[in-house]
Every structure is written in structure tokens, then in C-alpha cells.
Amino acid sequence: MTRTHELRPARLSPRDVLRVGAVGLRARRARVVLSALGIAIGIATMVAVVGLSESSRADLMSRLDRLGTNLLTAEAAEDARGGTIRLPKNAVAMVERIGPVRHATATAEVDARIRRSDVVPEERTAGVTTQAARTDLLSTLGGEVARGTWLTPAGEHLPTAVLGAVAADRLGITRPGETIMLNDTRVAVVGILEPVELVPTLDRVALVGFPAAKRYFGFDGHPTTVFERSTDASVEEVRAVLARTVSPGNEAGVRVSRPSDALAARAAADKGLTALMLGLGAVALLVGGVGVANTMVISVLERRQEIGLRRALGATRNAIRLQFLTESLLLSSLGGVAGALLGSAATYGFARAQGWTTVVPPWSLAGGLAATLVIGVVAGLYPAIRASHLHPTVALNAT
């Protein structure tokens, strides 16, 4: 009895598949680098955009945590005739009676024109206004003095002023001890503030004490803005009653806001910009994918004799498909890894230059590498199928 043996095609081990797939890449290194560069640029763009956005947002959130989100402001609104409603003189005292309120203070507009010196015409105010401030304003807002000192209990009665950062720059004041003119009164500058992030309007004003404003500039004692800090858990509760507490019977004449909302809105706006930049990165990635597909198609055309020889020696269509698909995946992966490294390095460099904490979300790296694998499969599928359908005789006769 004659025993027959069924012939079965040999199966390539994963190691053999990788080695065969890498042959084409090693033989055409310049083309591989250029093709992988397109993928790398796309992945680097996406990783860097996400990383920079998250780093910026983390820095903004840390600043919000440091500054606090429990600050509320109550401002005098305009009436029907366009005039400003006057808040009660005891508005701060009334706000302090609200249970959860920890600190309350106020500022007020003062009708005093600011000039650098008495030789400057009165109409040239340099875009700086005057406000009266209580001595507890800076501690309530979390502000800091850059140079000099803040208003003291004694100094708030004297013709002294503290300038906001922008106001000092516009007036050309670089150090405490210099003088400016408020109307016809010479006022000594005792301090210059750091930028006040939660209330940036204070950067453009000269601040004098309430008693000095009454004595020298005819201030009537009515505040225009009340600031209060409460416990974090009770912010909304205080917000609901703040207007009618500040101005009983005329709560419509008071605007209540939370300054930290502006910074939170900026973080939300950053998300929109991030989505746009991710779209641009996706376009670059698509272009890179087209480059990989083009490289693989050309590789199939150039290597028809190699394909025909392998087919003649017994390589199956599946083996040919797997070879070229693996080559495409390796090419895309090479670009993806390089892009992830470039994007992370760019994020680190820029974030460090800005003084931010570097944040590169792991999902952005994983997503970028997954995208390269998808591109590798899609870009290599058609060339792999085309290579597997080449007839050995036709392929060997190709010139």
C-alpha cells in the first residue's frame, strides 16, 4: 500500500515575517526616510498640539487654584439714562454680615486726572485713571507689590498712591519715591503692583486711600466695586444674595460676577484652538499616509522579479501579502515613533521656556501610534494585494 503525503505551504514565523518585511526598507533607505518623515511630521504635530494645550491648561488651572475661585465682585450698573448707580457707603459692612463671607473690601472711582508732572497738559492722562482703595484690598485679591509698599493705615490719609503695573509703565515710573500729579495735587508713589490676574483692570489705575480721596479729591465715599471672598462651597449661595445685600431694594442696579470665570473661559477657548490644530495635524498625517502608499506601490513595481521568484519557489499569495503589509506597517511605525519623540521633545522645550509643567498625555502618544498602524494597514493593503496577484511567469519576465 503506497502512502501519499499531502503537501502544505510552509508558514512563516513572526520573526521571519519581520525579517522579510524589513528587507525592502533596508534596500531603499533614502526613500524610507522621506516617506516616514511625512508620518513623523503628522504625529509630531498632533502630540505637540495636545501636549502644549494640556501643559497650558494645567498651568492655568494651577494659577486658578492658587488665586482661588471664591472671589465675587459686585459692581454698580448703569441706570436707564446711562448714569452709574451709586452703591451705599456701608456696602462692605453689609456684605461682611453674610455668614460664609470671610473677607470684603471695595474700590471706588475718583475724579482725578493723572499727569506725570505739572508741566504735562491736563488732557494728557496716559490712559490711567484714579481709584480709591481700602487697605485690605491687596490681601483680599491675592495681589502682590512688585516694588515699594502697599497703602498703610497711616499712608491712606496722605497724598500717596500705589500704581498698577501698566499704569507705572505708561507714566514712566520705575521706582517708589517718584511723584505724579493728581489734578493739582502732587502725590508720592509708594509702591508698584505686580499684575493682578483676577482683576486686570487694577493694572491701569493709581490707587489712593479712601480718606485721602475724600480729603484731596472730593470723593463722596460711595464705592463702585465690592470684592468678597467666601468659602468655596458657599460661592453660589453668596452669589445669589450678594446683589440685594449690597443694594437692598435695587438689586437690578448691581452686577455680580466671578473673575475666575474669565480664566476658565480662556481654558475653554484653548480647547477650540486645540481641535483646529489637531485637524491640521490629521491633514499632515493623511499626506504622510499617501506618501507611504505611494512608496509601497512603487516598491511593488520595482520588485516584480523578486515577487515572481518567490512565487516560483513556492511562496503563497498570503505570504506575499503579509510581506508587503508588514513592510508598510514597519514604515509607518518608524515614522510614528519618530513623530512621538519629536512631539514630546517640542512640548518639553516650549513648556520649559514658558515656565509650565510639561504634560504629555499618554493617550496622545498611544493614539498617535495607533493612527500610524491604521495608516500602515490602509496604505499597504492595496500594494500587498496587487503584489500577491502577480503571476510568477509575468513577474519573472518583467523588465
Side-chain angles (χ1 to χ4, degrees):
M1 182 175 180
T2 305
R3 197 179 276 183
T4 60
H5 297 280
E6 183 181 354
L7 295 177
R8 296 180 180 179
R11 295 182 179 275
L12 294 175
S13 67
R15 182 178 178 182
D16 291 332
V17 170
L18 290 175
R19 188 175 60 201
V20 172
V23 169
L25 301 183
R26 289 197 299 267
R28 298 163 180 83
R29 295 181 181 180
R31 186 184 299 168
V32 166
V33 170
L34 292 175
S35 298
L37 186 60
I39 297 289
I41 290 173
I43 295 298
T45 300
M46 299 179 75
V47 170
V49 165
V50 173
L52 291 176
S53 175
E54 290 300 317
S55 298
S56 173
R57 193 171 295 117
D59 177 72
L60 183 58
M61 291 302 109
S62 68
R63 282 160 55 199
L64 272 175
D65 291 339
R66 186 174 66 253
L67 296 171
T69 58
N70 59 345
L71 176 68
L72 294 177
T73 66
E75 298 179 276
E78 293 184 348
D79 57 23
R81 299 178 181 178
T84 302
I85 295 172
R86 300 170 72 189
L87 300 182
K89 291 182 180 181
N90 63 342
V92 173
M94 291 190 293
V95 170
E96 288 176 335
R97 294 194 187 103
I98 302 175
V101 171
R102 293 177 175 176
H103 306 284
T105 187
T107 59
E109 298 290 339
V110 176
D111 185 16
R113 290 179 174 271
I114 300 178
R115 295 176 289 160
R116 180 64 179 86
S117 68
D118 54 0
V119 298
V120 177
E122 289 188 5
E123 60 272 12
R124 295 184 60 181
T125 61
V128 178
T129 59
T130 307
Q131 289 188 14
R134 290 164 50 112
T135 55
D136 56 358
L137 176 69
L138 211 59
S139 59
T140 301
L141 300 183
E144 295 181 358
V145 177
R147 293 182 292 279
T149 61
W150 175 241
L151 296 172
T152 62
E156 69 172 344
H157 293 81
L158 302 174
T160 58
V162 175
L163 299 180
V166 176
D169 183 63
R170 290 179 177 177
L171 291 170
I173 304 295
T174 58
R175 65 182 185 277
E178 300 187 52
T179 60
I180 57 176
M181 298 296 296
L182 270 63
N183 290 341
D184 295 324
T185 304
R186 190 174 296 276
V187 175
V189 175
V190 297
I192 299 173
L193 298 180
E194 294 280 3
V196 184
E197 292 184 273
L198 283 179
V199 190
T201 54
L202 294 180
D203 295 341
R204 299 170 177 81
V205 302
L207 298 166
V208 298
F210 266 67
K214 294 177 183 178
R215 179 178 179 182
Y216 297 101
F217 310 113
F219 172 54
D220 61 7
H222 290 272
T224 51
T225 304
V226 175
F227 302 93
E228 73 78 30
R229 280 193 185 273
S230 56
T231 58
D232 291 330
S234 58
V235 170
E236 293 304 322
E237 178 186 344
V238 174
R239 192 174 193 169
V241 300
L242 187 58
R244 62 174 175 265
T245 302
V246 170
S247 184
N250 188 26
E251 59 184 280
V254 180
R255 293 193 304 267
V256 176
S257 62
R258 182 159 55 173
S260 58
D261 288 345
L263 291 177
R266 211 170 83 197
D270 287 344
K271 290 184 178 180
L273 182 60
T274 300
L276 174 62
M277 296 304 294
L278 283 176
L280 295 177
V283 171
L285 198 57
L286 178 62
V287 172
V290 172
V292 171
N294 182 57
T295 298
M296 295 308 302
V297 169
I298 293 174
S299 180
V300 169
L301 295 176
E302 290 178 343
R303 296 160 64 187
R304 283 180 294 179
Q305 289 186 337
E306 173 196 330
I307 295 168
L309 181 59
R310 289 199 63 208
R311 292 281 284 121
L313 292 176
T316 63
R317 288 183 174 180
N318 283 336
I320 299 297
R321 277 197 293 267
L322 192 57
Q323 173 189 348
F324 281 90
L325 197 58
T326 301
E327 187 173 326
S328 177
L329 282 171
L330 289 174
L331 180 56
S332 297
S333 299
L334 181 64
V337 171
L341 293 175
L342 286 173
S344 299
T347 301
Y348 175 79
F350 188 83
R352 185 166 185 178
Q354 296 294 320
W356 302 341
T357 300
T358 304
V359 179
V360 180
W363 64 262
S364 66
L365 297 175
L369 295 177
T372 61
L373 295 179
V374 172
I375 287 175
V377 171
V378 173
L381 197 58
Y382 169 71
I385 293 174
R386 179 170 178 172
S388 68
H389 282 80
L390 283 175
H391 195 277
T393 305
V394 175
L396 287 170
N397 289 331
T399 57

